[in-house]
Amino acid sequence: MSQINHSVQNGKSTSKEAIWVIVIFMAVAAAGLLYVKWWPYFQKVISVSATHSIGPSILGDQAASASPWVTAWDYAKVYFQSVWKAALLGVLLGSLIQVLLPSRWLLKVLGKTSFGSTAAGGLASIPGMMCTCCAAPMAVGMRKKKVSIGASLAFWLGNPTINPATLIFMTFVLSWKFTVLRLFFGIILVFGVSYFANRFAKNAEPVDMEKVPESKNFEEEEGPFFIRWMKSLGTMLLHIGPAYIFSVLLLGAARVWLFPQLSETASNSLFAVIGFALAGMLFVIPTAAEIPIIQTFMLVGLGAGPAAALLITLPALSLPSLLIVSRSYPKRVLSFVTLSVIVLGVFSGMVGMLFL
């Protein structure tokens, strides 16, 4: 009888501890997002509603005569000035997901290969409003905790593509038609492609909850929380940092060739739609930067088709974000997601050619 009472007490203690660590994580996430995203975006919405602009294109001067090294450095400097706060927050939350959140609680919601888990991951992404690279460390943390491929992908892809702030900016700066197009294809990507991505992983079976320990860590790592957190944080920075920085520099140097100036005839052709869809999938931008990029391109003659392709592919993926998550997902899954983004971008461009 005493053993039963002791087990019940341990269960209650574990449950209370789980609630507290969840509250702590949510508080850290809310405070970080309030400072990095929510408050700045609230102020920007007021400004954009009055000016119908969110600033100049991050691509800046596309002069082909500039040195590739100078171009790479200039772009990287502007890019990292825009994203460094969100990038640090993404790494912080990604590491805390690994060492703080209770596995049993996390996997009950996000550990299945069902559409419900995928939908939960996608809905959980909406408050984040991160760009694809800043959301990637959190997806890595989720995969470390055995969150399903579909749910973690939906969270990762949902941050940049169904970002409510970006949709509001888009309505004021471009038009409601662009917003509807982005939301339509964004929902297909986040909830549809992510769900079917489960099928491209070998042995993608739901986690057996009976085998998940009650402790906070899936693998029941021992040691003080601070030591485990520093280990997780250090490993993440070591794996993410070099490839991230190098790929941003590489894309900065190549931006003139990725987004060439087209003749009036070619600027709204299917060939241009496919080319810009591919370029948009590779290129890296901060949150909502696709809006002034599209606005500037259209002012200098780019057709609605290629612009609509960029509307999907620019925010959804990038070469740096794919490198960040490359160790967390099977290659077949990432290939399927990459191809899906390009195909959806091309379809979006074709719709744009007809209706925008």
Side-chain angles (χ1 to χ4, degrees), residues 25-26 90-112 116-126 128 130 134-159 190 194 207 216-219 232 236 240 324-325 327-329:
F25 177 83
M26 293 299 183
V91 172
L92 171 66
L93 294 179
S95 63
L96 287 176
I97 287 172
Q98 296 180 51
V99 300
L100 188 60
L101 285 182
S103 293
R104 183 174 288 272
W105 172 80
L106 193 63
L107 296 180
K108 278 183 178 179
V109 181
L110 302 175
K112 303 173 184 177
S117 278
T118 301
L123 293 174
S125 73
I126 293 176
M130 296 279 195
C134 299
M138 291 185 281
V140 170
M142 294 169 79
R143 288 295 294 149
K144 289 281 188 180
K145 297 287 280 190
K146 310 299 181 183
V147 167
S148 72
I149 283 174
S152 57
L153 278 176
F155 180 85
W156 175 36
L157 297 171
N159 263 274
V190 173
S194 297
V207 175
K216 292 189 289 295
N217 299 300
F218 188 84
E219 297 176 352
S232 172
M236 187 169 285
I240 289 173
I324 290 171
V325 303
R327 298 186 181 188
S328 301
Y329 294 95

Side-chain angles (χ1 to χ4, degrees), residues 141-220:
M142 294 169 79
R143 288 295 294 149
K144 289 281 188 180
K145 297 287 280 190
K146 310 299 181 183
V147 167
S148 72
I149 283 174
S152 57
L153 278 176
F155 180 85
W156 175 36
L157 297 171
N159 263 274
T161 53
I162 55 174
N163 180 334
T166 299
L167 294 173
I168 294 172
F169 298 152
M170 195 173 293
T171 303
F172 283 121
V173 177
L174 298 176
S175 78
W176 65 268
K177 293 180 180 180
F178 278 92
T179 305
V180 171
L181 195 64
R182 165 67 165 269
L183 188 58
F184 176 75
F185 284 103
I187 288 173
I188 293 175
L189 176 63
V190 173
F191 299 102
V193 171
S194 297
Y195 171 66
F196 285 109
N198 286 307
R199 308 296 185 268
F200 287 84
K202 294 180 180 178
N203 302 320
E205 298 295 331
V207 175
D208 185 354
M209 294 304 298
E210 296 298 324
K211 297 180 180 179
V212 178
E214 293 285 352
S215 64
K216 292 189 289 295
N217 299 300
F218 188 84
E219 297 176 352
E220 293 193 280

Side-chain angles (χ1 to χ4, degrees), residues 41-55 164-180 291-292 295 311:
Y41 285 171
F42 173 75
Q43 293 179 310
K44 184 172 283 190
V45 165
I46 297 173
S47 172
V48 170
S49 66
T51 63
H52 297 277
S53 172
I54 63 171
T166 299
L167 294 173
I168 294 172
F169 298 152
M170 195 173 293
T171 303
F172 283 121
V173 177
L174 298 176
S175 78
W176 65 268
K177 293 180 180 180
F178 278 92
T179 305
V180 171
I291 297 172
Q295 185 182 37
L311 193 69

Side-chain angles (χ1 to χ4, degrees), residues 222-307:
E222 298 294 335
F225 164 76
F226 185 77
I227 299 298
R228 290 186 287 109
W229 181 34
M230 287 296 102
K231 179 181 176 182
S232 172
L233 194 60
T235 301
M236 187 169 285
L237 289 172
L238 182 64
H239 289 165
I240 289 173
Y244 183 27
I245 294 171
F246 175 76
S247 56
V248 170
L249 287 167
L250 179 64
L251 291 169
R255 59 181 167 156
V256 174
W257 294 279
L258 286 171
F259 304 108
Q261 293 185 352
L262 302 175
S263 66
E264 184 176 349
T265 303
S267 65
N268 202 34
S269 63
L270 181 60
F271 175 79
V273 168
I274 296 172
F276 274 73
L278 285 166
M281 182 278 298
L282 289 171
F283 202 68
V284 59
I285 59 170
T287 303
E290 67 272 22
I291 297 172
I293 289 174
I294 290 171
Q295 185 182 37
T296 302
F297 277 162
M298 294 187 75
L299 286 174
V300 297
L302 186 69

